[in-house]
Amino acid sequence: MRRRSRGNPKVTGVLPTALEEATKIVQALLLAGKEYVCVMKLHSQMPEDQIKAVLDEFQGTIYQRPPVRASVKRRLRIRKIYYVNFLEMDERNVLFKVGCEAGTYIRKLCYDIGEVLGCGAHMQELRRTRVGPFIEDEGIVTLHDVSYMFAQWRETSDENLLRRFIYPMEKSLGLIPKIFVRDSAVDALCHGAHLAAPGVLSLDTKIKPNDAVAILTQKGEAVALSKALTSTEKILKMDHGFVAKTQRVLMPRGVYPRMWRSGP
Amino acid sequence: MQRISPPWEIERSLAVKAEEETSPRFGHKPEERPIEDYMQFGIINLDKPAGPSSHEVTAWVKRILSLKRAGHGGTLEA
């Protein structure tokens, strides 16, 4: 696999950055839906109604071949585009907002829109406005803010300065269906055990088999990222057997007491 | 084309299977973790500036906050 520098002078916006132990949770965000606001430059002027019609066509399921400069294999991929909203235009610059599945290349989307329009187009500027539950309008900070508040905390020891710009990692799980478990089930999960039905106290509706789910304590602490083995309805009725397969443990061992016995 | 709902529009509610209290002796609510733990299990909604790569920005955060580890959720590039 080839890797190249991903530096791009015109790309800004939401970049959730996890600290220390929380780095394990970014896996949940890599798979999360994204939203962008994009300036696309057309290679010749086109009527507004035609542009709007073509943007509409890109809503739904699209096929996309990753661009030449990509860190993934360049085979045709299927991606869901939740919406493409035209915002405004000024001569050859078109501003639009797009909500899409993880792994959608907006540079490529612009190129493809240009092809369908017939005039050609490229991505001029990109701002990410959402990564899963993290949005641009809520608690976003610049590198400068981070460095300033951290220095202030060192001077004053006022921990509220840190709590103001750092979120608990559980914020990342905002859009993932959740299963809350008994205290007695927690430590086994931290050792990598799969979740069995008796450990479940409550869970989100609409969970389907193979869905990515988050396992939490009743206090709301993240225990693990898992894969549901069955649906909400079935889990509610089960009295034994596994309900979710542990994929990534997020909580260190020993926070909750060990209530399980090892083999003979 | 048919519209596909984005994940942030899916509404879920909580279904209860069993009731039990959690012991205050173990763990903390995420917002109430002692400050050292709070940082260890923290995440920042960072506004990536134009210019440096996502990777470089993450390295800067790591240095500014004197961390051992930092990671970003989804490379922000074209």
Side-chain angles (χ1 to χ4, degrees):
Chain A
M1 192 161 69
R2 281 187 311 168
R3 287 200 181 275
R4 297 206 189 171
S5 156
R6 283 155 173 253
N8 190 311
K10 295 159 290 184
V11 178
T12 65
V14 177
L15 182 72
T17 306
L19 320 179
E20 309 285 21
E21 288 290 319
T23 44
K24 293 173 190 166
I25 218 165
V26 297
Q27 191 186 309
L29 294 170
L30 300 179
L31 302 172
K34 315 285 193 295
E35 185 191 75
Y36 299 89
V37 171
C38 173
V39 178
M40 173 177 67
K41 184 131 194 145
L42 304 177
H43 298 162
S44 63
Q45 232 169 307
M46 297 293 278
E48 191 176 308
D49 53 347
Q50 210 170 321
I51 295 164
K52 284 180 175 166
V54 170
L55 289 181
D56 275 350
E57 277 181 44
F58 279 82
Q59 294 184 128
T61 307
I62 63 157
Y63 289 87
Q64 193 176 63
R65 190 175 300 280
V68 181
R69 275 185 48 169
S71 61
V72 294
K73 192 168 179 191
R74 296 193 60 220
R75 59 170 159 232
L76 212 54
R77 310 200 294 183
I78 297 173
R79 285 294 177 269
K80 290 181 195 123
I81 307 293
Y82 307 120
Y83 49 83
V84 185
N85 298 335
F86 174 95
L87 297 175
E88 59 181 89
M89 65 182 291
D90 176 31
E91 296 189 343
R92 294 196 289 128
N93 291 315
V94 179
L95 187 71
F96 67 89
K97 180 179 271 197
V98 53
C100 57
E101 200 180 353
T104 310
Y105 285 92
I106 306 302
R107 182 200 297 272
K108 186 68 174 137
L109 188 74
C110 289
Y111 177 87
D112 292 342
I113 290 169
E115 291 297 293
V116 174
L117 269 169
C119 60
H122 66 267
M123 191 184 83
Q124 184 82 359
E125 223 179 293
L126 187 69
R127 182 161 177 80
R128 186 154 70 187
T129 51
R130 178 193 278 275
V131 174
F134 290 92
I135 54 173
E136 187 192 19
D137 310 329
E138 196 190 296
I140 199 166
V141 286
T142 61
L143 277 172
H144 179 265
D145 296 332
V146 169
S147 132
Y148 178 78
M149 283 190 273
F150 192 66
Q152 286 286 302
W153 168 71
R154 283 213 157 138
E155 233 169 75
T156 64
S157 308
D158 175 7
E159 61 180 55
N160 286 321
L161 287 158
L162 296 181
R163 292 181 192 269
R164 204 175 297 161
F165 74 94
I166 303 172
Y167 283 101
M169 65 172 180
E170 283 79 2
K171 161 104 177 151
S172 319
L173 306 174
L175 300 178
I176 301 175
K178 296 167 194 65
I179 302 181
F180 294 88
V181 299
R182 295 179 195 272
D183 288 359
S184 55
V186 176
D187 201 53
L189 293 165
C190 294
H191 281 76
H194 300 326
L195 177 62
V200 178
L201 285 172
S202 58
L203 70 164
D204 269 321
T205 52
K206 301 180 191 171
I207 295 174
K208 302 185 299 298
N210 294 323
D211 276 358
V213 293
I215 312 295
L216 291 100
T217 66
Q218 282 192 86
K219 297 185 187 77
E221 304 150 285
V223 180
L225 296 173
S226 303
K227 192 159 108 176
L229 294 172
T230 178
S231 65
T232 300
E233 294 73 29
K234 293 229 175 89
I235 294 172
L236 284 170
K237 288 183 197 132
M238 285 166 75
D239 57 8
H240 66 281
F242 291 120
V243 301
K245 209 171 158 180
T246 301
Q247 298 199 302
R248 193 79 165 104
V249 175
L250 301 169
M251 183 184 276
R253 297 171 178 184
V255 177
Y256 279 74
R258 176 173 172 153
M259 307 287 277
W260 43 285
R261 295 154 59 120
S262 49
Chain B
M1 262 192 214
Q2 89 289 10
R3 188 175 184 279
I4 305 165
S5 296
W8 46 93
E9 282 176 13
I10 297 173
E11 283 181 27
R12 298 179 195 266
S13 54
L14 211 60
V16 178
K17 182 171 162 73
E19 307 256 8
E20 191 188 82
E21 295 284 304
T22 174
S23 167
R25 288 187 293 142
F26 317 117
H28 298 276
K29 285 184 180 171
E31 339 42 270
E32 293 170 8
R33 286 183 181 122
I35 195 65
E36 295 77 21
D37 286 358
Y38 190 86
M39 268 193 86
Q40 288 284 313
F41 296 97
I43 187 162
I44 299 172
N45 186 4
L46 192 72
D47 191 346
K48 180 192 164 295
S53 69
S54 301
H55 201 81
E56 288 168 316
V57 170
T58 305
W60 291 354
V61 170
K62 194 172 136 183
R63 208 177 54 219
I64 293 168
L65 300 180
S66 341
L67 307 170
K68 285 202 279 299
R69 266 197 295 170
H72 58 78
T75 305
L76 177 51
E77 46 118 24

